[in-house]
Amino acid sequence: MEKLDVSVHGSSHPSLSPSRRTPLPPCYPLLSCSASLFPGCINICELLVKSSAHREGKQTGGKAQPRSSAGRRRSGVLEEPQQRSVSNMFLLLLLGGLLLQGDAQDHTSLWRGNDRSGRCVYSFTVPSPVEASCPQPAAPEVEALKARLGVLEMLVSQLSGKSLQPPGGHQGAGDRAQAELQDALNRAVAERGLLQGEKERLKREMKALQLRMEEMRRETERLRKRPCPQTPAAPPSHPQRDRAPTRPLEDSAWQYGSPAFQELKAEVTEVPVPDSKQNHTGCGDLLSVGEPVTHRRADNIAGKYGVWMQDPEPVSPYGPNMVWRIDTVGTEVRQLFGYEDLEQLSKGFPSKVLLLLDPLESTGATLYRGSLYYQRRLSRTLIRYELAAEHVAARRELPHAGFHGQFPYSWGGYTDIDLAVDEKGLWAVYSTSKAQGAIVISLLDPLSLEVRRSWETNIRKSSVANSFIICGKMYTVASYSAPDSTINYVYDTETSQGKAVSIPFKNKYRYNSMIDYSLAQRKLFAWDNFHLVSYDIRMSRSPAN
């Protein structure tokens, strides 16, 4: 219910008391002179306003006050002088309204009282005949919700790339929200970068683990195919004339000790411990292999695989320091590069380039007594090429040898025939259909390339990554890609016996395609993923020494 108060300030009327309420007609636009609701009241309003203006003009000396009637009409309050005639007229008008509108006595009321400044105030209320209820003002929660919606609209516009100027009341809140949003965005970008780096690291570790798992799988397959090791038969006893004269041991402990102690003592065999400070290069057993030393990196893709070597018994005009290199990637491998020494090799300045008459297959070539020995491409034919004369001196097929991918090493590369040189001569490592993929070792005549003698081992050629021969003993390498591999098998052509060993061997660049023993340097030469590397070795003393 809307309440409209209209007040008249002046002296109190004796007929109106504070406790008495007189019903009024519903002519509540009386003092505002609005006839939109009650057209019958317009004459009374005009009369009252004109009378009030006339009296005010007398009091001010005939000068009209500009804001009196208009301001009073807008505010709904008339401040009258304290004269009884105005009050009487007002009461007459009210009484007339009562007579005219008797049916509204139950809805209109008039009362009198003092306001906060102590003035007498007459007030009346009239119900609205049009509005059933007044609209309620917005609650504080609604205002707060509107403010929050404004801030959210500003943030959404910033995220979408649009500029939205926040309202004046929310400018400070919008700036703070924008700063917080920027900080959150920066943190999210930084965390995304960290997560991306962690993801890349995990991918690299996963690839490394996959490589290790693949290597272990191949190792497992190789172990499954390998026959169970058997106790080697005792070598045939040598004639008595080959043995040094011996005499029984004399020890007082054997005479006075208990039988049990004597039995235990008899089973003990003393083995001399090798001196780690000495670098033995005799013809005993291989004890250790040193760290790889890099001498050069190949210039192009043709040098991913290759072979490099030195002649242990060079022939003029080439000296003992001459180093030779062949890049073996390609279908027509014919170039042989010569360097004066290792220093020139590392600088990449060849002093001699020879063009072979027959193309070469894979990385199994070697040098011996002034000749290059290699396998002709797509055949089992061996060729001896004299460096000084620059012509083919001999050629011969290696009987029943596999070629061009029939029995290669585990890394592939058509490494079916691998030639090697050591203290005992020229060797060929290969396999045949009769051997069913097991390694066959043959000692060759260096002039005619005829096979002098052959040995068949019990280890499959495809199960090892590479091999080399030192002092008539063939050693095999377990892996060509594992950074920490091992030399896992040795076969002695002197005793025709093989056994498993475990000598650490490092593949620094993780793709070793050639490993050979260099008799000239008493080292291992290798070609590891474009890189020419060498290894120092340590050998035990030979039994003859």
Side-chain angles (χ1 to χ4, degrees):
M1 182 174 184
E2 183 179 8
K3 180 179 181 180
L4 301 178
D5 294 338
V6 181
S7 302
V8 179
H9 300 278
S11 61
S12 61
H13 195 275
S15 63
L16 297 175
S17 62
S19 61
R20 180 182 177 183
R21 294 188 178 182
T22 305
L24 294 176
C27 190
Y28 68 91
L30 182 65
L31 298 181
S32 63
C33 290
S34 175
S36 61
L37 297 178
F38 302 96
C41 298
I42 185 63
N43 296 329
I44 300 175
C45 291
E46 290 178 355
L47 181 62
L48 179 60
V49 172
K50 289 179 181 179
S51 175
S52 299
H54 178 71
R55 286 176 174 79
E56 286 185 0
K58 289 181 179 182
Q59 292 178 359
T60 57
K63 296 180 179 180
Q65 300 295 328
R67 59 176 297 274
S68 61
S69 61
R72 288 165 186 166
R73 283 194 300 268
R74 284 194 302 269
S75 62
V77 177
L78 292 175
E79 297 182 0
E80 295 287 339
Q82 301 294 329
Q83 294 184 12
R84 188 175 299 275
S85 60
V86 177
S87 300
N88 292 336
M89 183 180 291
F90 184 75
L91 293 176
L92 290 174
L93 292 173
L94 294 177
L95 292 175
L98 291 173
L99 294 175
L100 294 173
Q101 302 290 339
D103 56 344
Q105 291 181 358
D106 296 335
H107 302 284
T108 306
S109 61
L110 174 68
W111 65 88
R112 185 186 65 176
N114 295 328
D115 60 1
R116 293 181 179 179
S117 61
R119 293 178 299 178
C120 181
V121 179
Y122 290 87
S123 302
F124 67 92
T125 60
V126 179
S128 174
V130 178
E131 296 177 340
S133 62
C134 297
Q136 297 294 329
E141 292 81 6
V142 177
E143 295 296 333
L145 182 59
K146 289 182 179 180
R148 293 179 62 185
L149 287 175
V151 174
L152 288 176
E153 289 177 356
M154 181 187 64
L155 294 178
V156 171
S157 65
Q158 291 176 353
L159 287 176
S160 60
K162 300 178 181 178
S163 60
L164 178 64
Q165 181 66 27
H170 305 301
Q171 181 68 36
D175 294 340
R176 289 194 301 271
Q178 182 178 5
E180 293 176 358
L181 181 63
Q182 187 65 33
D183 293 341
L185 181 61
N186 294 337
R187 288 195 299 270
V189 171
E191 292 177 359
R192 181 179 180 273
L194 292 175
L195 291 176
Q196 189 69 21
E198 187 69 14
K199 179 181 178 181
E200 295 297 329
R201 184 183 65 82
L202 291 175
K203 283 184 178 179
R204 291 193 298 269
E205 292 182 357
M206 184 178 69
K207 290 182 179 179
L209 289 175
Q210 288 176 350
L211 289 176
R212 288 192 64 183
M213 289 179 64
E214 181 64 20
E215 187 66 26
M216 292 176 65
R217 186 188 65 79
R218 289 198 296 265
E219 184 72 15
T220 302
E221 292 296 330
R222 182 167 61 252
L223 292 175
R224 287 178 179 175
K225 295 177 182 179
R226 180 189 299 178
C228 296
Q230 300 178 358
T231 304
S237 59
H238 298 282
Q240 186 67 26
R241 55 184 174 83
D242 295 339
R243 295 185 180 180
T246 58
R247 61 188 182 89
L249 296 174
E250 295 181 0
D251 192 345
S252 58
W254 289 101
Q255 300 177 6
Y256 302 103
S258 63
F261 175 77
Q262 292 179 6
E263 182 180 358
L264 177 63
K265 187 98 180 210
E267 296 178 358
V268 176
T269 303
E270 293 184 358
V271 178
V273 178
D275 186 2
S276 60
K277 297 182 180 180
Q278 298 182 9
N279 186 19
H280 303 298
T281 55
C283 261
D285 295 328
L286 179 63
L287 298 178
S288 64
V289 178
E291 295 289 328
V293 178
T294 304
H295 299 277
R296 176 174 171 74
R297 190 185 190 279
D299 299 325
N300 49 49
I301 189 62
K304 181 174 177 62
Y305 316 133
V307 55
W308 69 294
M309 52 211 153
Q310 276 188 294
D311 192 344
E313 300 179 19
V315 176
S316 181
Y318 305 112
N321 295 326
M322 195 76 176
V323 183
W324 300 87
R325 172 180 68 89
I326 303 175
D327 298 336
T328 61
V329 175
T331 57
E332 292 291 324
V333 179
R334 296 174 182 269
Q335 289 183 324
L336 175 63
F337 299 91
Y339 302 84
E340 293 292 338
D341 50 29
L342 283 173
E343 183 179 358
Q344 295 300 315
L345 172 70
S346 63
K347 293 180 180 179
F349 302 143
S351 60
K352 186 71 175 179
V353 179
L354 299 178
L355 188 63
L356 303 177
L357 298 179
D358 297 282
L360 175 144
E361 182 100 298
S362 195
T363 61
T366 189
L367 279 172
Y368 188 51
R369 295 178 181 176
S371 295
L372 173 69
Y373 297 85
Y374 66 95
Q375 172 196 355
R376 188 182 186 279
R377 184 174 179 266
L378 297 176
S379 72
R380 60 173 62 95
T381 301
L382 302 181
I383 294 177
R384 180 169 76 89
Y385 179 85
E386 288 187 356
L387 301 179
E390 299 184 14
H391 73 89
V392 175
R395 65 174 67 233
R396 184 179 297 274
E397 283 195 353
L398 188 60
H400 312 293
F403 64 94
H404 202 66
Q406 288 180 314
F407 304 109
Y409 290 125
S410 62
W411 73 272
Y414 304 129
T415 52
D416 299 80
I417 300 176
D418 191 8
L419 302 175
V421 172
D422 72 344
E423 292 81 358
K424 296 190 177 183
L426 178 64
W427 301 86
V429 179
Y430 60 103
S431 185
T432 64
S433 299
K434 181 181 178 181
Q436 298 181 353
I439 292 179
V440 177
I441 306 171
S442 292
L443 183 63
L444 305 179
D445 184 280
L447 296 178
S448 65
L449 300 178
E450 291 181 346
V451 175
R452 291 179 176 178
R453 186 180 175 185
S454 296
W455 293 261
E456 184 176 325
T457 69
N458 61 356
I459 183 170
R460 298 180 64 85
K461 192 167 185 288
S462 61
S463 67
V464 297
N466 224 307
S467 70
F468 55 90
I469 297 178
I470 305 176
C471 300
K473 298 182 179 68
M474 183 197 69
Y475 297 87
T476 63
V477 180
S479 173
Y480 63 90
S481 61
D484 297 314
S485 183
T486 58
I487 296 171
N488 60 351
Y489 184 81
V490 57
Y491 185 88
D492 190 354
T493 58
E494 185 70 23
T495 61
S496 300
Q497 297 294 326
K499 64 178 180 179
V501 294
S502 181
I503 302 173
F505 183 88
K506 292 185 179 297
N507 296 307
K508 184 175 181 180
Y509 300 102
R510 306 189 68 173
Y511 209 103
N512 222 325
S513 59
M514 164 253 173
I515 304 173
D516 279 337
Y517 171 61
S518 173
L519 180 59
Q521 293 286 335
R522 303 279 179 151
K523 295 181 179 182
L524 294 181
F525 282 6
W527 197 294
D528 191 357
N529 199 12
F530 293 97
H531 296 83
L532 284 67
V533 298
S534 64
Y535 302 80
D536 290 331
I537 59 175
R538 191 164 63 90
M539 307 289 295
S540 65
R541 293 185 179 91
S542 61
N545 294 332

